[in-house]
Amino acid sequence: NCRNGRALGNLIRNNSNLFQSNDAIRALVMKVVELKERLNNREVSGLLNTLSRARVPPATRELQGKLMFALSELGTKKLSSFAARDIAMTVNALAKRNIRNPKCFDEMGEA
C-alpha cells in the first residue's frame, strides 16, 4: 500500500517481476492515477527514472511507455516546481525508453 511516489518507486525497484503481468502494471497505473495530484516534482521525476531502469518484457513495454508518457504529461503541468535535476531526470528517462513527447521536451527545454 503505497502512500506516495517515493514508496511507489521503491516498490517498483524491489519487485523485478512487477512487469511480468499486465494485471500488475494496470494496478501500478491505477496507483499513479490515485496519487497524481499529490506527487511532487521529485516523485514524478524519480518514478520516471525508476520506470526507465525497470526490466520490462516486450509484451508489457507498451503499457510501460503509456505510463511514462502520462507521468511526463504530469511533469509538464508541475514544471514550475521542477529543479534542473528533475528536468534532466525526466528528459533522460524518456530518452532511455525512446518515448516521444514533443510537448514535454519543448517545455522542459525552455524551463
Side-chain angles (χ1 to χ4, degrees):
N1 190 4
C2 300
R3 293 185 173 143
N4 57 46
R6 187 173 185 173
L8 191 56
N10 288 334
L11 176 77
I12 295 166
R13 258 190 300 288
N14 296 326
N15 290 286
S16 59
N17 294 329
L18 184 66
F19 289 96
Q20 302 299 319
S21 155
N22 283 344
D23 290 338
I25 294 174
R26 284 187 184 95
L28 177 62
V29 169
M30 295 306 294
K31 184 50 97 169
V32 169
V33 167
E34 176 188 325
L35 294 174
K36 75 178 183 179
E37 296 305 320
R38 292 181 285 165
L39 293 174
N40 65 34
N41 55 326
R42 284 284 158 104
E43 291 171 332
V44 173
S45 62
L47 279 171
L48 281 164
N49 185 49
T50 299
L51 287 166
S52 74
R53 294 175 176 206
R55 293 183 183 187
V56 180
T60 56
R61 282 195 187 132
E62 184 178 344
L63 288 172
Q64 176 204 31
K66 287 179 180 180
L67 177 57
M68 290 181 69
F69 187 90
L71 280 168
S72 70
E73 290 288 302
L74 180 61
T76 59
K77 291 178 184 171
K78 297 178 180 256
L79 189 56
S80 64
S81 66
F82 269 41
R85 176 182 184 263
D86 303 316
I87 293 170
M89 285 175 61
T90 297
V91 171
N92 185 51
L94 296 174
K96 272 187 199 175
R97 289 296 180 178
N98 198 30
I99 296 169
R100 290 176 168 75
N101 186 341
K103 177 185 171 194
C104 176
F105 286 126
D106 289 345
E107 289 184 24
M108 292 202 175
E110 291 181 14

